[in-house]
Amino acid sequence: MLRVHAPTADQRLLGRTERAANVSGSMRARGAAGAAVIVVDDVVTTGATLVEAARALRAGGARVLGAATVASTTRTGLLPAIPT
């Protein structure tokens, strides 16, 4: 349903703004019209990939119900650290 349309650079050393620019327009959805979907990602750092996936799915006619991730990172300056 969701396909990579354009290659992206490695995001490990990119900040929030650079990550968003890197993935912007990189995905397309096929066969999504009328579907209700949940976007799933393995790890979220800034959310840029999730935002792009949701954008592409909506552009393809899907209704995005939400998102789920397995883990989040705590890279300084990107996401707040979770108190222990």
Side-chain angles (χ1 to χ4, degrees):
M1 180 176 288
L2 191 60
R3 308 232 189 276
V4 174
H5 173 71
T8 59
D10 188 317
Q11 300 209 125
R12 287 178 285 187
L13 299 177
L14 301 179
R16 182 179 302 276
T17 303
E18 293 86 9
R19 283 173 176 249
N22 186 43
V23 297
S24 180
S26 67
M27 298 181 194
R28 296 285 186 271
R30 281 193 198 169
V37 299
I38 296 173
V39 180
V40 178
D41 198 359
D42 57 350
V43 179
V44 63
T45 302
T46 65
T49 303
L50 289 171
V51 168
E52 173 57 19
R55 182 213 57 81
L57 287 162
R58 286 183 183 116
R63 185 171 56 126
V64 177
L65 302 177
T69 63
V70 176
S72 66
T73 64
T74 56
R75 283 184 54 196
T76 305
L78 298 178
L79 287 179
I82 299 170
T84 56

